[in-house]
């Protein structure tokens, strides 16, 4: 997973000489603009997610892994700070179209965010969220979103509810959904206050647990 998250353009079209702005994208861009300073490299972001899941983040050299453990256990590290630092974990593409892509093999589309809540009862219980509307939100391999969009006739839409997050996943979880920390981080990107609050709460719980381990 290379580069920073792709905050979709807020332009929804033009009317004469005026530009039309998509409110959802404007809100997301406002969130990105508040994140000052450099974020973690993509390898580091996924290493943090892996460590909080009980993994070893073996792709990091020992010195960097040790520094990351120390950073995660620091008292200043909370959900909001980790959310900002981990913003390079994926490149986000939003589409509209038929949701048949949700039936795609899970080894290629790993559910996260609200989609993970709908797919996994344990995740729904952990976050205290009802399954509700079945949104498509999942991680895919780097460079594959465009091919999937073409295969499923998806149209790029900054306000679309089909979300593909390109990432060079460092490992393949045995579960059909992303690790809890990744789900929490992605819920914190949601436009829903309830989902954002649930993601922040669970991520703070994970950080507290990691400090106490």
């Amino acid at each position: 997973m290379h580069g920073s998250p792709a905050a979709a353009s807020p332009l929804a079209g033009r009317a004469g000489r005026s530009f039309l702005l998509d409110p959802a994208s404007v809100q997301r861009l406002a969130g990105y603009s508040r994140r000052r300073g450099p974020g973690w490299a993509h390898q580091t972001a996924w290493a943090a997610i892996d460590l909080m899941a009980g993994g070893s983040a073996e792709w990091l050299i020992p010195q960097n892994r040790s520094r990351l453990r120390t950073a995660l256990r620091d008292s200043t590290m909370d959900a909001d700070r980790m959310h900002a630092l981990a913003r390079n974990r994926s490149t986000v593409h939003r589409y509209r179209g038929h949701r048949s892509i949700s039936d795609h093999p899970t080894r290629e589309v790993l559910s996260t965010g609200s989609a993970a809540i709908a797919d996994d009862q344990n995740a729904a219980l952990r976050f205290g969220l009802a399954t509700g509307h079945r949104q498509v939100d999942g991680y895919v391999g780097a460079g594959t979103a465009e091919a999937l969009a073409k295969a499923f006739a998806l149209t790029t839409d900054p306000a679309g509810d089909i979300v593909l997050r390109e990432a060079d996943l460092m490992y393949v979880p045995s579960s059909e959904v992303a690790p809890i920390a990744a789900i929490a981080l992605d819920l914190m990107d949601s436009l829903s206050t309830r989902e954002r609050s649930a993601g922040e709460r669970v991520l703070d719980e994970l950080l507290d647990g990691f400090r106490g381990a």
Side-chain angles (χ1 to χ4, degrees):
M1 90 197 97
H2 302 286
S4 60
S9 169
L11 295 181
R14 295 188 65 170
R17 295 184 178 181
S18 300
F19 289 101
L20 302 178
L21 300 180
D22 169 58
S25 293
V26 170
Q27 184 169 337
R28 289 189 180 99
L29 284 172
Y32 288 127
S33 68
R34 290 193 296 269
R35 301 172 185 180
R36 301 183 183 279
W40 285 329
H42 60 276
Q43 296 96 334
T44 305
W46 279 97
I49 291 169
D50 188 43
L51 289 173
M52 293 176 69
S56 59
E58 60 186 17
W59 55 89
L60 290 186
I61 62 174
Q63 298 93 319
N64 289 347
R65 188 162 54 241
S66 177
R67 279 196 290 268
L68 180 58
R69 287 183 185 276
T70 299
L72 290 171
R73 288 177 172 143
D74 191 279
S75 60
T76 63
M77 182 67 71
D78 60 8
D80 189 59
R81 177 164 172 71
M82 183 173 175
H83 181 241
L85 288 170
R87 63 185 180 270
N88 296 326
R89 65 191 179 278
S90 66
T91 301
V92 181
H93 302 270
R94 293 182 178 273
Y95 304 94
R96 58 181 168 82
H98 195 276
R99 296 187 182 87
S100 59
I101 192 172
S102 64
D103 299 323
H104 207 57
T106 54
R107 63 183 175 82
E108 295 187 49
V109 181
L110 189 67
S111 293
T112 188
S114 59
I117 303 302
D119 287 345
D120 188 273
Q121 185 177 12
N122 290 330
L125 291 173
R126 180 67 185 268
F127 288 93
L129 296 171
T131 55
H133 173 62
R134 180 63 172 89
Q135 180 183 357
V136 177
D137 190 350
Y139 284 101
V140 298
T144 64
E146 184 176 350
L148 285 170
K150 183 176 181 180
F152 288 90
L154 305 179
T155 302
T156 298
D157 184 348
D161 64 355
I162 297 176
V163 185
L164 300 181
R165 304 172 185 267
E166 287 189 337
D168 287 336
L169 295 176
M170 299 301 171
Y171 63 100
V172 179
S174 57
S175 172
E176 295 181 354
V177 299
I180 290 294
I183 297 172
L185 288 165
D186 295 328
L187 283 174
M188 289 180 70
D189 287 335
S190 173
L191 297 178
S192 162
T193 300
R194 191 161 178 263
E195 289 185 351
R196 288 200 308 272
S197 296
E200 184 175 4
R201 172 182 58 77
V202 169
L203 193 58
D204 273 330
E205 290 172 357
L206 291 172
L207 285 165
D208 287 341
F210 191 78
R211 276 189 285 267

